[in-house]
Amino acid sequence: MAAELTLPQLSEKHRPTLDRALAAIRSRAYWSPHPEHPKAYGETAPADGLAAFEAVRGTRFDLDQPGTDGWTGGEVSPYGPELGVEYPHADPDVLLPAMRAGMGAWREAGPEVRALVCVEILARIGARTHEFAHAVMHTSGQAFMMAFQAGGPHAQDRGLEAVAYAYEEQTRVPGRADWSKPQGKRDPLELDKTFTAVPRGVSLMIGCNTFPTWNGYPGLFASLATGNPVLVKPHPRAVLPLALTVKVAREVLAEAGFDPNLVALAVERPGEGIAKTLALRPEVKIIDYTGSTEFGDWLETNARQAQVYTEKAGVNTVVVDSTSDYKGMLSNLAFSLSLYSGQMCTTPQNLLIPRDGIGTDAGHKSYDEVVADLAASVGGLLDDDARANALLGALVNPGVKSRLEAAASLGEVALASREVVNPEFPDAVVRTPVVVKLDAGKPDPEAAYLSECFGPVSFAVAVDSTADALELLRRTVREKGAMTVGAYTTSPDTERAIEEVCLEESAQLSLNLTGGVYVNQTSAFSDFHGSGGNPAANAALCDGAFVANRFRVVEVRRQA
């Protein structure tokens, strides 16, 4: 097919961005090519983005994919409105062979072309960030500003980060080499050798409900940049953001002269459960998954033909030993517990506080005082309904609401959850966090704090000492996993002890955060999301290991 996007065009436009991304992953310094502020996208961008989102509602989302055997949909916004979008339902017996048909040309294009095509896809998505923000908001329940930032520039950053790592790993080996082995008085042995990064096969990306783009883009772009076709299987409640992504990718691939079927969409009918079926297909060689531990474990156990990357449940913990900024600590924790109603895989759940209290710049504070002051800080942050709606968003599904309501019976409630009315979307289910006091003094294998309670639920757990807190932290990370660990201490020895636990158990640690950086937020190109070293996730977003096994290097030797 004729290419409308040529390599010189792509290189001139995007090679500087790729080079900056490569420099960023090496330096780990802050960098982002994607603006976080809505005004950066032009004066008409907000209205244009909303209009584009509204225009797709109630339509049939045709992708011109092979194997379409019907239509399905049914997304309902956590804010109330039905989206009314119908998506193509695919017959995998037709679609998967069609996806594989384009692999040869995509492989032969090489790492640089693949990377530049991926950057073009991200650039076009970036230009439509306002539209994508509404799609993320009305499928995940995130408030608009969070949907705009996390679902837009931050997700695009993570996608570009994966492209940079993919390029770095594929070009680590030269494309060709002249090999000559001296033979003394005899002529040397000489060979011409070529080395080609070859894809594994079809990559299946199983999307999540809460962060469809942020969690989806790393795997999608890591696989595509390493030569693999990508079949995107969205969560049934969050199809639109990934359907828009697939459409953009298919358009760019076609314009660059490649088979658009290198990226395709698989949407399930209600109750169909196609993720299991697709995961066991012999064509599927890579799987990226974010979601429950149960299904993640099933994938790791059963999809043996595939390289499986999972992010599952974990129990995130904050150890509170002491602080030199009591007010700042409380403010930072309050924001972390409240953001997106705690519906983040990085939100702290367990706050481990010595029952004898902690030392602070405001004097000694007892356990009860710390918990009461934290409850007051959360309450003060969310006492204005407009601010509360902007921070909390909406509960993503009824399961979160049920866990929130049940949490009040688990212990003494230090901060009760309250209902917040959203005047723009009166059907939205908006709730403030609940903080429950628990005691780790008596061993209890069924203790609530030993399992993930996803949503706006936090446990203030009384422990006998900081040493006991570290032992509970170690046990929790080792047995249940953690995406994040936080700690507050003024003691260098305690800081080192906490760090040692996290190093031994492979958990990402944030120490003494009291300003505008929060334990549940990470920055692409610098921060690692997860470690791949504890049960919460078997991979990190993003490092070399996340991309290097998505391709193999095949060598061809020729007599010189």
Side-chain angles (χ1 to χ4, degrees), residues 385-454:
D385 281 3
R387 184 168 61 237
N389 276 304
L391 283 175
L392 296 170
L395 300 189
V396 68
N397 59 53
V400 176
K401 181 172 180 283
S402 297
R403 284 191 294 274
L404 171 62
E405 292 172 344
S409 66
L410 298 174
E412 180 185 343
V413 175
L415 176 67
S417 175
R418 72 178 182 89
E419 181 177 355
V420 179
V421 175
N422 187 316
E424 186 178 1
F425 300 103
D427 292 330
V429 178
V430 184
R431 299 289 189 274
T432 63
V434 62
V435 177
V436 180
K437 296 167 73 172
L438 298 176
D439 195 323
K442 297 179 180 179
D444 179 4
E446 302 299 322
Y449 55 80
L450 293 178
S451 298
E452 183 186 52
C453 190
F454 185 76

Side-chain angles (χ1 to χ4, degrees), residues 193-532:
K193 301 183 180 183
T194 60
F195 305 92
T196 304
V198 300
R200 283 189 172 272
V202 174
S203 177
L204 174 65
M205 195 279 281
I206 303 173
C208 68
N209 194 174
T210 48
F211 289 88
T213 55
W214 197 100
N215 277 104
Y217 283 5
L220 192 166
F221 285 100
S223 285
L224 190 61
T226 50
N228 304 279
V230 182
L231 181 57
V232 177
K233 188 273 164 195
H235 190 284
R237 291 193 186 97
V239 179
L240 184 56
L242 292 177
L244 291 168
T245 301
V246 169
K247 189 167 188 175
V248 173
R250 290 174 64 84
E251 290 170 353
V252 171
L253 286 164
E255 290 178 30
F258 298 102
D259 190 337
N261 295 321
L262 287 165
V263 178
L265 186 71
V267 183
E268 60 188 285
R269 296 187 178 107
E272 186 179 10
I274 61 171
K276 279 190 174 183
T277 303
L278 292 172
L280 299 182
R281 294 280 305 206
E283 302 96 331
V284 171
K285 300 298 184 183
I286 302 166
I287 298 173
D288 288 282
Y289 168 76
T290 301
S292 71
T293 296
E294 181 182 11
F295 190 57
D297 289 346
W298 185 92
L299 288 169
E300 292 170 355
T301 301
N302 293 282
R304 295 185 176 275
Q305 86 291 350
Q307 183 73 26
V308 180
Y309 301 89
T310 59
E311 181 187 314
K312 301 176 289 189
V315 178
N316 302 317
T317 300
V318 176
V319 175
V320 183
D321 169 74
S322 53
T323 180
S324 60
D325 184 358
Y326 186 59
K327 184 177 179 181
M329 179 189 78
L330 295 174
S331 176
N332 191 279
L333 286 173
F335 187 91
S336 295
L337 300 183
S338 303
L339 186 62
Y340 185 33
S341 301
Q343 297 171 122
M344 303 172 69
C345 61
T346 50
T347 300
Q349 175 180 298
N350 294 344
L351 309 175
L352 308 186
I353 307 167
R355 67 180 73 256
D356 290 337
I358 66 172
T360 82
D361 58 317
H364 185 272
K365 298 290 182 179
S366 69
Y367 164 82
D368 287 332
E369 287 177 314
V370 173
V371 178
D373 289 345
L374 176 62
S377 187
V378 175
L381 177 67
L382 303 175
D383 62 355
D384 177 77
D385 281 3
R387 184 168 61 237
N389 276 304
L391 283 175
L392 296 170
L395 300 189
V396 68
N397 59 53
V400 176
K401 181 172 180 283
S402 297
R403 284 191 294 274
L404 171 62
E405 292 172 344
S409 66
L410 298 174
E412 180 185 343
V413 175
L415 176 67
S417 175
R418 72 178 182 89
E419 181 177 355
V420 179
V421 175
N422 187 316
E424 186 178 1
F425 300 103
D427 292 330
V429 178
V430 184
R431 299 289 189 274
T432 63
V434 62
V435 177
V436 180
K437 296 167 73 172
L438 298 176
D439 195 323
K442 297 179 180 179
D444 179 4
E446 302 299 322
Y449 55 80
L450 293 178
S451 298
E452 183 186 52
C453 190
F454 185 76
V457 178
S458 293
F459 300 121
V461 183
V463 293
D464 289 337
S465 65
T466 297
D468 288 323
L470 296 190
E471 284 307 306
L472 181 53
L473 169 66
R474 183 188 298 277
R475 176 190 173 190
T476 305
V477 176
R478 181 177 293 175
E479 296 180 4
K480 302 297 182 178
M483 296 300 292
T484 56
V485 172
Y488 292 88
T489 183
T490 58
S491 163
D493 290 340
T494 300
E495 180 176 315
R496 179 59 193 166
I498 296 167
E499 186 177 355
E500 187 64 23
V501 171
C502 290
L503 291 172
E504 291 178 356
E505 304 302 332
S506 294
Q508 310 293 16
L509 172 63
S510 297
L511 285 163
N512 297 318
L513 299 183
T514 57
V517 176
Y518 304 95
V519 66
N520 44 343
Q521 294 178 318
T522 58
S523 179
F525 307 107
S526 185
D527 295 323
F528 292 107
H529 175 74
S531 70

Side-chain angles (χ1 to χ4, degrees), residues 157-176:
D157 283 350
R158 283 294 183 190
L160 180 57
E161 177 185 50
V163 173
Y165 271 104
Y167 179 83
E168 182 100 315
E169 293 299 323
Q170 290 174 100
T171 56
R172 192 180 296 279
V173 175
R176 67 176 303 277

Side-chain angles (χ1 to χ4, degrees), residues 22-47:
L22 290 166
I25 63 172
R26 294 166 189 154
S27 72
R28 313 307 297 179
Y30 173 78
W31 176 73
S32 171
H34 304 111
E36 287 184 315
H37 200 285
K39 291 183 178 179
Y41 293 80
E43 196 171 316
T44 66

Side-chain angles (χ1 to χ4, degrees), residues 74-263:
E75 290 160 292
V76 177
S77 168
Y79 289 94
E82 293 185 11
L83 300 193
V85 184
E86 285 191 318
Y87 304 96
H89 183 276
D91 179 353
D93 291 333
V94 178
L95 181 57
L96 288 171
M99 296 183 71
R100 287 182 55 84
M103 286 180 65
W106 189 233
R107 179 195 69 228
E108 292 303 314
E112 181 177 16
V113 171
R114 289 195 295 267
L116 294 173
V117 170
C118 287
V119 179
E120 172 68 17
I121 294 169
L122 286 163
R124 294 198 190 182
I125 291 170
R128 297 167 61 178
T129 293
H130 277 271
E131 177 187 359
F132 273 75
H134 288 286
V136 170
M137 173 183 174
H138 284 288
T139 52
S140 71
Q142 295 175 31
F144 177 79
M145 185 55 72
M146 184 175 185
F148 183 91
Q149 293 183 338
H154 297 171
Q156 296 151 25
D157 283 350
R158 283 294 183 190
L160 180 57
E161 177 185 50
V163 173
Y165 271 104
Y167 179 83
E168 182 100 315
E169 293 299 323
Q170 290 174 100
T171 56
R172 192 180 296 279
V173 175
R176 67 176 303 277
D178 296 324
W179 185 84
S180 180
K181 179 180 180 181
Q183 293 288 296
K185 294 181 179 180
R186 291 178 293 173
D187 291 339
L189 298 175
E190 294 184 337
L191 294 173
D192 292 332
K193 301 183 180 183
T194 60
F195 305 92
T196 304
V198 300
R200 283 189 172 272
V202 174
S203 177
L204 174 65
M205 195 279 281
I206 303 173
C208 68
N209 194 174
T210 48
F211 289 88
T213 55
W214 197 100
N215 277 104
Y217 283 5
L220 192 166
F221 285 100
S223 285
L224 190 61
T226 50
N228 304 279
V230 182
L231 181 57
V232 177
K233 188 273 164 195
H235 190 284
R237 291 193 186 97
V239 179
L240 184 56
L242 292 177
L244 291 168
T245 301
V246 169
K247 189 167 188 175
V248 173
R250 290 174 64 84
E251 290 170 353
V252 171
L253 286 164
E255 290 178 30
F258 298 102
D259 190 337
N261 295 321
L262 287 165
V263 178

